[in-house]
Amino acid sequence: MAISVDTVYQRVLALANKEQRGYITPQEFNLLANAAQMAIFESYFYTKNQRERAEPGRTNEVTETDVSELMDAKLAPFQSFEAVTSGHTFQPTVTVDGTPYDVFQTGTVFLGDEPCQKVSVFDAQRLLKSTRHMAATDGQSPIYTTNRITGRDIVVYAGNTQEETSNVTVECFRVPVTANWAYVVVNDKALYNSTLAVDFELHKSETDTLVNRILHLAGIVLNKVGLAQTAATILASEGQTQNT
C-alpha cells in the first residue's frame, strides 16, 4: 500500500509551478520528501497516544471509522519483532533489503510468546529482595524493567530471582526507508527511472498530506512565502479535521 514517489513528485511540481512559484529539482525533492515522510511517521506515535488516552474504555469492536485501528494499519509496515541480544540489549537497527534503518521506538517486550509487564526499577528491586514476593509472581506474566548498567536496556524476570537472557523479543518500529525519485539525464532533462526508484512506505491515505508537507518545505527553501503559507493552511485544516 505504498505511495508512488513519481505520483507525488508530479503533483508537487504541478502545484509548485502554478503561478510561477518555482521549480523543484529531483535532488531537492528527495531531500524534502524524506523530511516530510519522517514528520508524518513521527506524528503517528503522538496521535496514537492521544487516541488511547481519549478512549480508555475502548472495546475490541472495529468499525470503518475506528481511528485507532487506522493508526495501527499506518504503523504496520514499520513494525517487526526483534530478538533482544543476550536478553537485555535492544537491536539498534532493522535491516530492509540489505540496508539498516534505525529503530525509532520500541513497544511490547515478550518472553517467548508471553508479553512482559513493565515495572519501575524500584519495584523490581523490592521484588528481587523479597523471596516471598518473587515466589508470589511464579506462574504469572513475566516482568521487566529498565536497567542502569551500561549496555543493558532491560532486565526480564519470570517468577524467580534469575533474570531471563534467552527467548526475549521486543516490538520495534523502524524509521521509513529512504524514498527516492530516481532519474537518468537525457538531453539535459531528468527522466524518471522506475527501476531504481523507491516509493514512500506511508499509507495511501497520507498522499495529500505528504504533498502538502513537501510543498510547505519547498516554499521555505525557495523563499516562496505564498507557497509555504498556502500549504501550511491546508495542513492545519487537515489536522483539525483528523483530530475532531
Side-chain angles (χ1 to χ4, degrees):
M1 197 178 284
I3 300 175
S4 167
V5 69
D6 187 46
T7 297
V8 173
Y9 186 40
Q10 298 308 325
R11 285 183 59 181
V12 166
L13 285 184
L15 292 169
N17 287 333
K18 186 180 180 181
E19 300 177 4
Q20 305 299 313
R21 284 176 170 172
Y23 174 72
I24 301 171
T25 68
Q27 296 94 331
E28 290 171 334
F29 170 79
N30 284 332
L31 288 173
L32 300 178
N34 282 290
Q37 178 175 232
M38 190 64 193
I40 294 172
F41 169 75
E42 289 181 5
S43 73
Y44 292 163
F45 296 91
Y46 299 107
T47 301
K48 187 174 177 65
N49 176 262
Q50 290 174 351
R51 287 290 173 178
E52 288 176 348
R53 287 190 288 112
E55 302 172 354
R58 183 182 177 220
T59 67
N60 292 326
E61 182 180 356
V62 177
T63 69
E64 69 278 5
T65 60
D66 193 320
V67 177
S68 295
E69 187 72 12
L70 177 60
M71 290 308 305
D72 289 340
K74 289 182 178 183
L75 282 169
F78 314 103
Q79 179 190 45
S80 64
F81 296 88
E82 306 296 327
V84 178
T85 305
S86 299
H88 53 63
T89 304
F90 294 150
Q91 298 285 356
T93 61
V94 172
T95 300
V96 180
D97 295 331
T99 302
Y101 291 90
D102 290 340
V103 171
F104 180 81
Q105 182 64 287
T106 56
T108 306
V109 173
F110 294 86
L111 178 59
D113 293 329
E114 193 170 8
C116 302
Q117 179 183 1
K118 184 176 182 179
V119 300
S120 72
V121 66
F122 304 106
D123 288 339
Q125 287 299 313
R126 282 194 289 269
L127 286 171
L128 288 173
K129 291 179 180 179
S130 171
T131 303
R132 179 173 62 85
H133 281 89
M134 286 304 294
T137 65
D138 194 21
Q140 298 183 18
S141 297
I143 64 171
Y144 80 98
T145 186
T146 53
N147 191 274
R148 297 179 178 178
I149 302 175
T150 302
R152 294 162 66 92
D153 296 310
I154 63 168
V155 176
V156 176
Y157 300 97
N160 53 54
T161 57
Q162 181 179 359
E163 81 180 62
E164 297 291 332
T165 59
S166 63
N167 204 22
V168 180
T169 57
V170 62
E171 180 184 29
C172 293
F173 295 92
R174 60 167 174 80
V175 299
V177 299
T178 304
N180 180 36
W181 193 84
Y183 63 95
V184 293
V185 178
V186 178
N187 296 327
D188 296 326
K189 183 177 181 179
L191 298 180
Y192 180 60
N193 185 332
S194 60
T195 303
L196 298 178
V198 179
D199 290 332
F200 298 97
E201 287 191 288
L202 298 175
H203 194 275
K204 284 281 190 182
S205 64
E206 300 290 10
T207 303
D208 289 344
T209 302
L210 183 58
V211 169
N212 287 317
R213 278 193 176 273
I214 296 171
L215 286 171
H216 179 245
L217 293 173
I220 297 173
V221 171
L222 298 173
N223 197 25
K224 300 293 182 178
V225 178
L227 179 60
Q229 289 179 339
T230 298
T233 300
I234 295 174
L235 286 170
S237 177
E238 286 180 354
Q240 184 175 12
T241 299
Q242 293 173 2
N243 292 322
T244 55

